[in-house]
Amino acid sequence: MAAELVFKDEAAAAEYDRAFAHVTAHFMPFLLRAANVAPGMRVLDIATGTGLSAEAALATVGPSGHVMAADVSPAMAEKARDRLGKAPNASVSVEDGQALSFADSSFDAVLCNLGLMFFPDPVRGLSEFRRVLRPGGRVAVSVNTVLERSYNHQINVIIARHMPSLAEAVTRTFALGEASRLTSLFNEAGLVDIETHTVRHTFVLPSFDAYYGPFERGGGSTGQALAALPEEIRRAVRDEVRRDLADRGGPIEAEAEYRIASARR
C-alpha cells in the first residue's frame, strides 16, 4: 500500500496481500470513481506496491484500456509484474513519482493509493501527475486521515515505543490527512476542479489471528518492523494490540478511513 515498502522475501509479499487485499478492494472503487476511470482509458497507477490497486484499475478500463503500474522500488515493481504479467494491456515500470519518465499528456487518469504522503515533495509529485495527464484528465489520490481510524497504524505506534526509528514514519503517514492540506497541495501543483471526500469502513474479521497474523508473519511495513524486534517485545506488542481491539476470542473490528482528493488538469 505504500511506495517505501520493500519486501525481503516472497512470504512477506504474500502476507502483505493477505493483510491488505480486502482493504484495497473496498476502497479502490471510490478512488477510481474520483478519477472518472472508464473503459478504454489509459491509466497510470503510482506507488502501486504489489499491484493490488493497478489490478482494480485494470478491471475497470477493460480490454480496450491500459494500466501502467509504477513504483519507486524495483522489488515492489517485480511483485506487481508477477500479479499483472498475464494481462496484455498492463505494464510495469520502476519510477520516481517526482520525476516520471513518461511523455506529457500520456494518460487519461493518474491514481495514487496511499502513496503521496511518503513523497519527499508531494507538490513536485502532483506536478508530475499533472504533466503526464492529457488535458481534462483527472488525478485521484487517497491518504490516511487520523491514527484512530487507520487499519494497522495503531500497531505501528505500539512498535515505535520499542523502535523509535519508526516514529517519524508513523507521523508521516498522517501528514496529508487534512482536506485543506490536500487542497493546498493540489492548487500549488496547478490542478483545478479539486474535490475531496472521506470514506470510512469497519472491517469485521473472524478472529484476532485473522487480523494480526499477516503482520506477525512479516506482511507490510508493520510486519517488517515486527520482525526486527526481539521475541519478548513481539509478544508484548501482540498482547497490547489484542487488548486495544478488545479481543474476546470471536470476531474483531478494525476501522479504516481514507481521504480521497481528485482534480483535473
Side-chain angles (χ1 to χ4, degrees):
M1 295 171 74
E4 88 290 1
L5 177 62
V6 178
F7 294 123
K8 294 181 173 61
D9 54 42
E10 294 291 335
E15 295 300 343
Y16 175 91
D17 286 352
R18 289 189 187 100
F20 294 116
H22 60 295
V23 182
T24 302
H26 178 82
F27 285 109
M28 275 304 297
F30 298 97
L31 193 67
L32 293 165
R33 283 198 292 272
N36 292 339
V37 175
M41 280 189 170
R42 182 172 173 84
V43 175
L44 172 63
D45 181 45
I46 290 285
T48 196
T50 63
L52 288 169
S53 51
E55 187 175 50
L58 196 62
T60 301
V61 301
S64 61
H66 185 273
V67 173
M68 171 63 74
D71 201 283
V72 71
S73 160
M76 293 295 268
E78 190 59 36
K79 303 306 176 190
R81 191 171 285 110
D82 290 343
R83 179 181 300 280
L84 304 170
K86 294 181 181 178
N89 57 333
S91 304
V92 180
S93 180
V94 177
E95 296 284 338
D96 178 350
Q98 298 181 177
L100 296 170
S101 67
F102 310 113
D104 295 0
S105 306
S106 295
F107 299 98
D108 299 303
V110 176
L111 308 171
C112 187
N113 181 40
L114 298 184
L116 187 65
M117 57 276 206
F118 298 111
F119 282 38
D121 185 347
V123 170
R124 186 174 169 188
L126 288 168
S127 297
E128 277 292 273
F129 298 176
R130 181 186 182 279
R131 179 185 67 78
V132 301
L133 269 177
R134 65 165 174 78
R138 288 191 74 81
V139 56
V141 309
S142 62
V143 298
N144 294 112
T145 56
V146 295
L147 175 65
E148 295 75 21
R149 293 190 290 276
S150 64
Y151 185 77
N152 64 302
H153 291 287
Q154 297 95 327
I155 307 174
N156 289 348
V157 169
I158 296 169
I159 296 171
R161 295 184 197 137
H162 304 281
M163 186 187 286
S165 60
L166 188 64
E168 182 181 352
V170 173
T171 300
R172 193 175 180 185
T173 300
F174 304 97
L176 305 184
E178 289 292 335
S180 58
R181 173 69 172 145
L182 282 171
T183 299
S184 175
L185 294 173
F186 274 56
N187 269 319
E188 197 173 340
L191 292 156
V192 298
D193 291 346
I194 303 165
E195 299 178 4
T196 67
H197 66 281
T198 304
V199 184
R200 186 189 303 183
H201 184 70
T202 299
F203 294 91
V204 180
L205 294 101
S207 67
F208 176 77
D209 285 341
Y211 168 76
Y212 194 73
F215 302 119
E216 199 165 39
R217 294 187 294 270
S221 55
T222 297
Q224 298 290 287
L226 278 171
L229 295 172
E231 183 178 352
E232 181 180 349
I233 295 177
R234 289 201 301 271
R235 285 199 302 268
V237 171
R238 178 187 175 91
D239 289 344
E240 187 169 348
V241 175
R242 189 190 290 275
R243 287 195 300 272
D244 284 356
L245 291 174
D247 176 40
R248 294 179 178 83
I252 63 104
E253 295 183 350
E255 189 175 36
E257 181 179 79
Y258 287 7
R259 186 97 61 207
I260 294 176
S262 62
R264 179 175 57 83
R265 175 178 172 178

